[in-house]
Amino acid sequence: MIICMPTIQHSGTLFTRALIPFDPISLVEKPREGDWLYWGHMHRDVAGRDNWKKLVKRFPTIVPLRHPSLISESWKRREGEFEKESWRLKEEWKFLIDEIDPYNPYYLPIDSPQRQDYLDVINKDLGINARTRWKPVHSKKQTFNLQPKEIDSELDFIKPLISRFYKVNHAN
């Protein structure tokens, strides 16, 4: 089986990668026999995004999520490092909403109280045995213990998607 895992940076990429018991395969490689995981961020380049568009149409897809305010905070704490400009974050959310979500991926909101329920559905539907104790992985800037805040107004466009997993205030 092949599984896709396109991610927004700081949404739980490495945490979720560690859950899936498949070997990774490069986004530019052709699918092959066996158990493989295509994984990576959605921002890399146009060619990478074109590959994600093709793959999510063919293979089951898992998208890790964190509350958007926590992802934004993680980006802010890293601004200036590794292309962390805020416009890139908006671009990744837009790509997720426009190009990945229409194919009904499995979402794994790793900071939601219902996260185990989401993981149980993934395990059942895909026939895998992903298990975790829900401990942070690779949290260099210690954002895992923060409380979610209001979503930045520049990200209002993500509220319809995010409200499926988190309580959000909608603009009137």
Side-chain angles (χ1 to χ4, degrees):
M1 170 190 294
I2 292 177
I3 295 175
C4 297
M5 194 184 87
T7 68
I8 292 175
Q9 290 183 53
H10 311 295
S11 65
T13 305
L14 295 177
F15 176 87
T16 306
R17 166 63 193 105
L19 287 177
I20 309 302
F22 292 4
D23 289 327
I25 186 171
S26 168
L27 189 57
V28 297
E29 290 182 56
K30 294 195 181 309
R32 47 178 116 142
E33 293 295 317
D35 293 337
W36 298 98
L37 177 70
Y38 283 104
W39 71 289
H41 299 127
M42 293 181 274
H43 77 287
R44 292 293 180 215
D45 55 39
V46 173
R49 288 188 174 180
D50 286 344
N51 286 343
W52 279 127
K53 289 178 195 180
K54 293 174 191 169
L55 291 167
V56 300
K57 291 177 184 177
R58 292 182 58 192
F59 302 111
T61 300
I62 299 170
V63 178
L65 287 179
R66 289 175 67 208
H67 190 279
S69 69
L70 300 180
I71 293 174
S72 293
E73 181 61 27
S74 188
W75 274 67
K76 287 175 188 168
R77 291 181 182 198
R78 290 175 172 90
E79 211 158 58
E81 299 176 24
F82 310 111
E83 303 173 337
K84 297 293 188 246
E85 299 92 348
S86 62
W87 65 267
R88 290 182 186 273
L89 177 58
K90 287 191 289 192
E91 195 176 81
E92 289 187 35
W93 279 113
K94 184 167 176 27
F95 186 78
L96 173 62
I97 290 167
D98 294 345
E99 304 295 343
I100 306 295
D101 189 60
Y103 295 98
N104 299 312
Y106 293 94
Y107 286 98
L108 183 61
I110 66 172
D111 55 357
S112 163
Q114 292 80 29
R115 61 193 179 191
Q116 187 62 50
D117 295 337
Y118 288 99
L119 183 58
D120 290 345
V121 168
I122 291 168
N123 281 330
K124 180 178 177 267
D125 287 359
L126 300 183
I128 61 175
N129 187 25
R131 297 175 4 177
T132 181
R133 293 183 182 168
W134 300 106
K135 302 286 183 207
V137 172
H138 197 66
S139 183
K140 290 181 181 177
K141 301 295 183 178
Q142 303 298 309
T143 57
F144 64 88
N145 58 1
L146 298 176
Q147 293 301 309
K149 297 179 181 174
E150 193 65 33
I151 296 173
D152 293 339
S153 60
E154 65 184 14
L155 293 177
D156 275 347
F157 70 96
I158 70 172
K159 287 182 177 181
L161 170 74
I162 291 303
S163 64
R164 293 165 24 197
F165 311 101
Y166 302 98
K167 183 178 180 180
V168 297
N169 294 326
H170 291 278
N172 293 332

